[in-house]
Amino acid sequence: MKKQKLSMGQIILKILLVLLIVIEIYPVFWIITSSLKTQAEFVTQPSYTLPSTFQIKNYVDAWTFGKMSVYFKNTLLTTSGALFLTVAVALPAAFAITFMRWKLKNAALSFIIIGMMIPVQATLIPIFLVFKELKLINSLLGLTLVYAATNIPLAVFLLSTYMKQFPIELLEASIVDGCSIYQAFLRIIIPISTNLIISVLTLEFFYSWNDLLFSMTFNSKADLKTIQTGLLSFVGQYGQRQWGPTFASIAISVIPTAILYMALSKMVITGMTAGAVKG
């Protein structure tokens, strides 16, 4: 069989795809290799060279002396709590807006969409004043509530848009078979929406995990800092003398998100591109 010759457009497209992959992967590769270098290599070798030996001690120093263990734990707690609250509120809200009959459901959805249009920077002062009265400044609970509050509108919008494509006959059949509206929600709607739920949670995880603005605004205590604010103080602590531990701390913050995305990328794509339910 004769090999098909690639057209000039196909060749250019493949070259662009390769360049895009390199642009996306190289920064992560550079961070990881830099985190394994000795201090002397940063001074005597170009930045693109590979480490001569693997300095795992950089990660130990970042985790202990750099307090990345504390920052990692705080970020994990606030992010996990925010994701739990997002699911607990957004799923029932999207179900109620889509399937249940009540007078203000369209107004509620419009209110949520309007909330998505407000820049988060414009909410900092009002939230700060409210949190000050509620004693939630310098509190992981306060940070968790902020993340959940900013995550919920987008989650409700995406979930309700997706649920509108469900065949109503499926829900009606379950009611006829004896399910209550709440049982139908738990046994039918949630299982069908699994891919989109995971997609929404993945997007919200990246937002909460990488947040710097809210963490800097509402938390100033060292023991309550998250990874992103911890990185700022970490660089300030080591300056330009301990680049190995500094890059190790950056790698610690990046690797979990990279692993999560690689593990769930297919489900994310499936959930975000899902159309109507096929029956």
Side-chain angles (χ1 to χ4, degrees):
M1 295 179 64
K2 293 183 179 180
K3 294 183 178 180
Q4 293 182 348
K5 293 184 177 180
L6 297 176
S7 65
M8 183 58 66
Q10 291 175 323
I11 294 174
I12 294 175
L13 179 60
K14 289 182 180 294
I15 292 174
L16 291 176
L17 289 175
V18 172
L19 289 175
L20 181 61
I21 292 173
V22 172
I23 292 172
E24 292 290 335
I25 294 178
Y26 179 73
V28 178
F29 175 78
W30 178 69
I31 290 173
I32 294 175
T33 54
S34 297
S35 69
L36 297 171
K37 291 182 178 180
T38 62
Q39 184 63 23
E41 289 178 300
F42 284 99
V43 179
T44 61
Q45 300 294 330
S47 60
Y48 56 81
T49 57
L50 296 176
S52 57
T53 58
F54 290 166
Q55 294 295 312
I56 305 299
K57 185 177 181 297
N58 291 336
Y59 284 87
V60 176
D61 291 342
W63 190 256
T64 54
F65 300 113
K67 294 186 177 180
M68 284 301 293
S69 59
V70 176
Y71 305 149
F72 191 95
K73 180 194 70 174
N74 293 339
T75 306
L76 189 62
L77 289 174
T78 54
T79 301
S80 301
L83 294 182
F84 174 78
L85 290 176
T86 299
V87 172
V89 175
L91 265 174
F95 179 78
I97 290 173
T98 306
F99 295 109
M100 301 181 74
R101 295 180 180 177
W102 46 294
K103 292 182 179 180
L104 298 178
K105 71 174 187 177
N106 292 329
L109 182 59
S110 299
F111 181 77
I112 290 172
I113 294 175
I114 292 173
M116 292 170 55
M117 299 178 183
I118 300 175
V120 294
Q121 293 83 355
T123 66
L124 289 178
I125 294 178
I127 294 176
F128 186 89
L129 294 176
V130 172
F131 275 20
K132 184 178 180 181
E133 294 296 326
L134 296 177
K135 309 298 183 183
L136 291 176
I137 301 297
N138 287 321
S139 166
L140 294 182
L141 175 59
L143 205 56
T144 301
L145 294 176
V146 169
Y147 292 158
T150 52
N151 290 344
I152 287 171
L154 178 60
V156 173
F157 175 73
L158 292 176
L159 289 168
S160 61
T161 302
Y162 179 69
M163 289 180 185
K164 286 179 181 178
Q165 302 182 59
F166 287 0
I168 191 64
E169 294 79 11
L170 185 63
L171 196 61
E172 292 174 346
S174 65
I175 300 298
V176 171
D177 289 340
C179 286
S180 67
I181 190 68
Y182 304 107
Q183 289 174 329
F185 169 68
L186 294 173
R187 298 180 181 180
I188 296 177
I189 300 301
I190 291 181
I192 292 177
S193 307
T194 300
N195 282 344
L196 184 62
I197 293 171
I198 293 176
S199 301
V200 170
L201 289 181
T202 303
L203 294 175
E204 306 295 5
F205 173 85
F206 291 150
Y207 168 79
S208 301
W209 186 272
N210 295 317
D211 169 71
L212 177 63
L213 180 64
F214 288 123
S215 181
M216 287 186 64
T217 304
F218 300 117
N219 278 350
S220 59
K221 291 184 178 179
D223 292 339
L224 296 177
K225 289 183 178 180
T226 59
I227 280 182
Q228 303 307 322
T229 50
L231 287 175
L232 295 178
S233 61
F234 192 88
V235 173
Q237 177 183 357
Y238 287 97
Q240 298 184 2
R241 293 170 298 185
Q242 297 293 333
W243 283 112
T246 300
F247 278 105
S249 65
I250 297 173
I252 291 172
S253 69
V254 170
I255 290 174
T257 58
I259 293 175
L260 181 66
Y261 179 77
M262 288 187 291
L264 300 178
S265 59
K266 289 185 178 180
M267 298 188 73
V268 171
I269 295 171
T270 301
M272 296 306 294
T273 59
V277 177
K278 296 181 180 180

